[in-house]
Structure formats: C-alpha cells, structure tokens
C-alpha cells in the first residue's frame, strides 16, 4: 500500500539561496541545418571549451575547429586547473597527444570520419581497464599495473574517434562516495575546492564541470554516477542493467549491481555518449540487444500530465542534512511548469530491509572481486580499512545469506515497479548531505544521527541501485553557501530513453546546468 499527497506550496517554496558567487557560462547557441554547415562562432579557446559536446563534434566535423586546436585547448585547461582540482590522472605525453590529434585531422581531410567523438580528448575513469595505460583503481597495490586490453566501452570510445589522454581519479577500488586515495590524492569540488567532489566518479564529474573534458565515463554501484554529478551540477546517468556491457571480466553472471555509464554538462551530451557506450556484446551474455542509436536522437517529449512520485527521506527513515529536502522540493516545482504533477509518496516499505539486502550483496560482490588481492598479507597492509571491512564481511557470508538477499531484492524491485503503473518517474535526493570538507573521509553523523558504516550517509542511492532501473541525476540547485545538490529520477526498467527525455525537459525548464563554477588556479 502507498499513500500520496501533493507537496504543499509552502514546502516547495521554503528552500532557496543565493548563488551570486557562481558565474554563468558563455552560452553559444547553434542551429545545424540538415546537410548544411552552420558555424558556432568559435573565436577563442574559451569559446571552444564552452561548446557542448554535441556542438563541439559538429564544429570538428565541419572543419570550423581542428582536432589539434581542440586538444591544445583542453590540455591547457588541464594545465591551468588540474593542479587545484586533481581530476585527471596518469596524463599522457603532450606531444604524443598532439600527434594523435594531427592524425585525426589528416583522417578527416581524407574523408575518413571515425565517429561523433572524432578527435575528442577523453580520460577514462581509473577503475576501467585501458590498454597500454596505467589503471591503478586508486590502489597502491595496482599503481603500476598496465592492462593489455580495453574495457568494452573503451573499445567503443576509440572506435568513435576519442583520443584517450589519461584517466580520471577515483577512490581506492571505487569504494566510497568521496574521491581520495594514496596514489593520486584528493579530487576537489568544481564549485568550491575546499569541498569534496563526491565519488566514486569524482574525477570524471569534476573534469566535465571544470571544462577539462567534453564528456566523461563513470561507473555506479552505490551512486557513483549520481552523487558526484549532484555535487558538481552536471548530469550523470546510471543505465538499466545490461544496457552497457560490463567487461571483459572473469565473472559475467553475478555482478549485477555495478554499471558503467555516461556523464555530461547537458542531458543531450550524456545521451549522446550513451549511444556509443551502449549495445550488446556476446562476451557479456546479460547485455541488452536493443539498438543504442535512439540515444543519439532528439530528446524532445510531451510533458503535459507527467507524474512524479517524490520519496524524499522515506517518511523520516533517512537522516538528512537540513536544507537538502527543501532545496530538492523547490527544484521539483519545475515539473509543474512543464504541466506535470509531483506527489509525495509514503511507500510503507521496510527500508531497513533494503539496507540489509544491500550490505549482503555488496559484501558478496566485493569479496568475490577483491579476495585475490586480499589473500596476500603484503597487499592487506596497503588496503584502506573500508575495503578490508567489505571483503571480510563477504567472506563471512553463506550461500543461503546471498540467496535470501536476492529474494529481498526481488521484493523491493516489485514494490518500486508497481509505482510505475501510476508515475512516470520516482524522485529522491542524490545525497543526504551537501558536499563536505575535502579532507573528511566520510560523514560520521547527519543531523545528530550517527552513521554506522563508511557509506551509510549515501543510503539514499541504494533503492535505485537494487532496482536495476535507469536513474539519472539532474541538478537541484545550490544552498545559501553555494553548495550543489542533485535529484535522482528513477524510471521503469529498460525505459532509459524515457528517463533521459524527462531529464532533458527538466533541464530546459530549470536552466540549472547553465550555472558554471568560478575556477581557481593553484
């Protein structure tokens, strides 16, 4: 049973705050005629960097900008701001990258167009394997590991024309929604480098928000595409299970919680990158056979009558920093301008059961993946305590423990799926606290309530993860201190395109992605 009520005008108007210290980016509008050439007016590196990824792709294809110019502009942005934000790691040699950009220009002149990412500088999250390029996973144990193969989605990025320039920073083994490690250090928030970037795709999110990359890939087991996107005012999309094949890997049947996905400054850019990353691969038998080409098309949709279910803090179950709920509820008002309705929902579901399900399945999968490293005592002394806790928790589980958790996950999925008989999307905050001090590993309490694990403060993302449904982060705005927050929009399983369409409509109504950070040099 569920009960619902429309959010009151008072509660939706209550939140708010000044974002006066945050500058709006230069807006360059483009109109591309079908089959024709329409210029975007790029006269400086600053204007080039302000282009959306879709517009940048068109500017490269039509010859308005060269791949060498693009590479120089992005590398200069990295030179200027990466010392402050520490988003891009394992950066390749500049001359090598410029030579590869020159080859891309030559290919274009000879009529060989590689794809929409032709000549794009791209850094891969440091959890995904990259052939010939260090993949540390943020761990001292793997700091010198150079894989002999690419992840499947990296193969696709290269085939679409991307030039891999390096990696983006991540916490050790991707554990925790705070990007720091003993290999590369802390990644800092794009809007305030004193604050954390979120994680585990923190480097990716900050690189996009600061203009060091046009778009970025990330991955998400516990909000790692959603939390850093929310903390850096960009878009992050966790797809339905199997839309992007996860591999190649030694285990292809049980790993059903962590997915790779795209991030961008706009929903259109994010969807365009998804069109490259998605698609069936026989090496991953649970991957979807649906065509990814639809994600490269228009996201326009009718929104009159759109229905949004707002779960908030699950009727007080989740601890929330003051201001988070108010800011999100204010942002949800944009759906009303689109002709939609937002209703507050009490699912009357035992959410602690969802959390215990999450703990069991996460322990199980992390222990399975990392036990080989953990087995060596010399490795264990290099692991952070949270990693050891996860692995040892998994080693203590029985097969029946895992089966019971899978049954509980199924029950939660059915309860959430029932909501989609009435609602188009389900909404939640993307985090329970605003970005906090970059040197703090994780919040020990929220609003007077103690956090009993290193990730309890991000419990709000586990309902989306366990559902296997598509989830997008859209910006919710900024509090009175200028700290960003996001909203998760969850859609029915395999309705990824619909979720992106709704996110695009929200983005156009809210205009929140147009608020850009004032960047600081070291």
């Amino acid at each position: 049973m569920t009960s619902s009520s429309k959010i009151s005008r008072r509660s939706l108007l209550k939140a708010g705050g000044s974002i006066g210290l945050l500058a709006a980016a230069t807006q360059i509008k483009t109109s591309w005629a079908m089959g024709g050439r329409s210029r975007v007016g790029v006269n400086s590196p600053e204007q080039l960097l302000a282009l959306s990824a879709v517009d940048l792709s068109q500017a490269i294809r039509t010859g308005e900008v060269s791949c060498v110019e693009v590479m120089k502009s992005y590398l200069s942005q990295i030179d200027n701001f990466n010392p402050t934000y520490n988003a891009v790691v394992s950066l390749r040699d500049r001359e090598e990258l410029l030579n590869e950009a020159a080859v891309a220009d030559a290919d274009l002149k000879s009529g060989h167009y590689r794809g929409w990412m032709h000549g794009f500088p791209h850094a891969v999250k440091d959890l995904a394997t990259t052939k010939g390029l260090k993949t540390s996973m943020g761990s001292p144990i793997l700091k010198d590991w150079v894989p002999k193969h690419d992840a499947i989605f990296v193969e696709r990025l290269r085939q679409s024309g991307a030039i891999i320039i390096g990696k983006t920073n991540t916490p050790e083994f991707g554990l925790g929604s705070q990007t720091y490690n003993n290999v590369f250090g802390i990644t800092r928030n794009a809007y305030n480098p004193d604050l954390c970037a979120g994680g585990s795709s923190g480097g990716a999110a900050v690189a996009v928000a600061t203009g060091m990359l046009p778009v970025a890939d990330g991955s998400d087991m516990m909000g790692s595409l959603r939390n850093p996107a929310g903390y850096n005012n960009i878009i992050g999309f966790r797809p339905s299970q199997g839309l992007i094949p996860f591999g190649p890997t030694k285990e292809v049947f049980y790993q059903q919680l962590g997915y790779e996905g795209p991030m961008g400054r706009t929903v259109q850019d994010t969807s365009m990158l998804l069109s490259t990353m998605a698609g069936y691969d026989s090496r991953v038998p649970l991957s979807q056979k649906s065509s990814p080409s639809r994600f490269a098309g228009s996201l326009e949709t009718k929104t009159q009558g759109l229905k949004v279910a707002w779960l908030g803090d699950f009727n007080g179950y989740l601890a929330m920093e003051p201001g988070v709920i108010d800011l999100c509820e204010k942002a949800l008002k944009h759906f009303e301008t689109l002709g939609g309705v937002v209703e507050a929902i009490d699912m009357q579901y035992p959410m602690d059961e969802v959390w215990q399900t999450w703990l069991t399945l996460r322990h199980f999968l992390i222990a399975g993946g990392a036990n080989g490293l953990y087995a060596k005592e010399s490795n264990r002394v290099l692991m952070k305590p949270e990693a050891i806790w996860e692995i040892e928790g998994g080693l203590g589980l029985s097969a029946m423990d895992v089966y019971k958790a899978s049954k509980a996950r199924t029950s939660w999925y059915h309860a959430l799926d029932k909501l989609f008989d009435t609602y188009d999307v389900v909404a939640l905050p993307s985090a329970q606290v605003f970005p906090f001090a970059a040197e703090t590993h994780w919040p020990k309490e929220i609003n007077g309530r103690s956090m009993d694990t290193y990730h309890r403060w991000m419990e709000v993302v586990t309902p989306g993860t366990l559902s296997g449904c598509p989830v997008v982060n859209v910006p919710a705005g900024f509090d009175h201190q200028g700290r960003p927050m996001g909203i998760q929009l969850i859609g029915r399983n395999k309705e990824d395109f619909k979720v992106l369409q709704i996110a695009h409509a929200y983005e156009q109504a809210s205009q929140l992605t147009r608020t850009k950070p004032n960047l600081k040099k070291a």
Side-chain angles (χ1 to χ4, degrees), residues 153-174:
F153 81 85
V154 177
E155 294 174 354
R156 294 173 175 183
L157 298 182
R158 293 190 198 271
Q159 291 166 3
S160 292
I163 298 173
I164 306 302
I165 66 171
K167 308 301 284 280
T168 55
N169 204 21
T170 183
E172 185 177 347
F173 301 123

Side-chain angles (χ1 to χ4, degrees), residues 27-32 38-41 51 55 514:
Q27 297 299 311
I28 302 177
K29 294 185 179 180
T30 314
S31 176
W32 295 99
S38 181
R39 301 182 67 84
V40 297
L51 292 174
D55 282 351
R514 295 192 178 187

Side-chain angles (χ1 to χ4, degrees), residues 336-359:
E336 292 188 9
T337 67
L338 294 169
V341 174
V342 179
E343 293 181 353
I345 295 297
D346 179 3
M347 292 188 68
Q348 300 179 16
Y349 194 90
M351 296 309 298
D352 188 59
E353 179 180 288
V354 175
W355 176 249
Q356 294 303 319
T357 300
W358 162 256
L359 289 180

Side-chain angles (χ1 to χ4, degrees), residues 469-481:
C469 294
V471 193
V472 65
N473 170 82
V474 293
F478 304 82
D479 75 346
H480 66 281
Q481 298 181 42

Side-chain angles (χ1 to χ4, degrees), residues 24-334:
T26 303
Q27 297 299 311
I28 302 177
K29 294 185 179 180
T30 314
S31 176
W32 295 99
M34 185 68 77
R37 174 173 172 172
S38 181
R39 301 182 67 84
V40 297
V42 179
N43 298 309
S44 68
E46 292 75 21
Q47 288 181 324
L48 186 154
L49 293 171
L51 292 174
S52 71
V54 171
D55 282 351
L56 176 64
S57 176
Q58 291 283 8
I60 290 172
R61 186 170 190 177
T62 60
E64 184 170 355
V65 296
S66 71
C67 297
V68 169
E69 289 174 322
V70 171
M71 184 64 71
K72 285 182 177 178
S73 296
Y74 276 94
L75 290 180
S76 293
Q77 189 77 347
I78 292 170
D79 288 343
N80 287 333
F81 298 108
N82 203 50
T84 297
Y85 299 95
N86 193 34
V88 178
V89 298
S90 300
L91 187 65
R92 293 176 55 207
D93 179 74
R94 185 184 187 90
E95 290 307 311
E96 287 183 3
L97 293 173
L98 290 174
N99 287 339
E100 290 186 21
V103 172
D105 280 327
D107 280 354
L108 201 56
K109 288 179 181 178
S110 68
H112 174 49
Y113 182 63
R114 302 176 187 174
W116 84 277
M117 298 184 80
H118 190 111
F120 268 39
H122 189 91
V124 176
K125 183 177 177 180
D126 203 21
L127 290 185
T129 53
T130 42
K131 183 178 180 179
L133 183 60
K134 286 183 180 180
T135 301
S136 78
M137 299 189 183
S139 169
I141 302 169
L142 301 174
K143 63 183 178 64
D144 297 317
W145 180 45
V146 179
K148 296 181 180 180
H149 67 276
D150 282 328
I152 292 171
F153 81 85
V154 177
E155 294 174 354
R156 294 173 175 183
L157 298 182
R158 293 190 198 271
Q159 291 166 3
S160 292
I163 298 173
I164 306 302
I165 66 171
K167 308 301 284 280
T168 55
N169 204 21
T170 183
E172 185 177 347
F173 301 123
L175 300 178
S177 292
Q178 220 284 50
T179 300
Y180 68 92
N181 59 60
N182 289 329
V183 181
F184 297 111
I186 300 169
T187 296
R188 297 176 178 274
N189 193 284
Y191 286 80
N192 183 345
D194 292 332
L195 303 178
C196 69
S200 62
S201 307
V206 173
V208 169
T210 57
M212 295 187 222
L213 294 175
V215 287
D217 64 87
S219 54
D220 184 314
M221 179 183 265
M222 191 177 182
S224 295
L225 283 159
R226 293 164 278 168
N227 157 266
Y231 276 10
N232 291 279
N233 198 49
I234 65 166
I235 308 299
F237 183 66
R238 175 189 165 92
S240 290
Q241 179 181 322
L243 184 62
I244 297 175
F246 183 83
T249 180
K250 294 179 180 179
E251 197 289 301
V252 295
F253 290 102
Y254 283 98
Q255 203 303 98
Q256 297 181 32
L257 288 183
Y259 313 152
E260 290 154 332
M263 307 178 91
R265 297 175 212 160
T266 68
V267 178
Q268 187 71 67
D269 285 355
T270 307
S271 186
M272 192 70 184
L273 182 56
L274 180 62
S275 74
T276 297
M277 298 175 72
Y280 178 74
D281 190 291
S282 63
R283 291 170 288 181
V284 184
L286 301 183
S287 58
Q288 295 182 32
K289 286 194 173 183
S290 57
S291 172
S293 61
R294 66 191 185 280
F295 298 112
S298 170
L299 294 174
E300 298 301 321
T301 187
K302 294 180 180 179
T303 57
Q304 189 67 38
L306 184 74
K307 296 196 71 174
V308 178
W310 169 237
L311 299 184
D313 60 4
F314 287 98
N315 199 32
Y317 169 77
L318 294 174
M320 289 280 174
E321 180 177 352
V324 170
I325 293 294
D326 288 342
L327 184 63
C328 291
E329 289 183 345
K330 177 184 177 185
L332 288 171
K333 291 286 288 183
H334 292 295

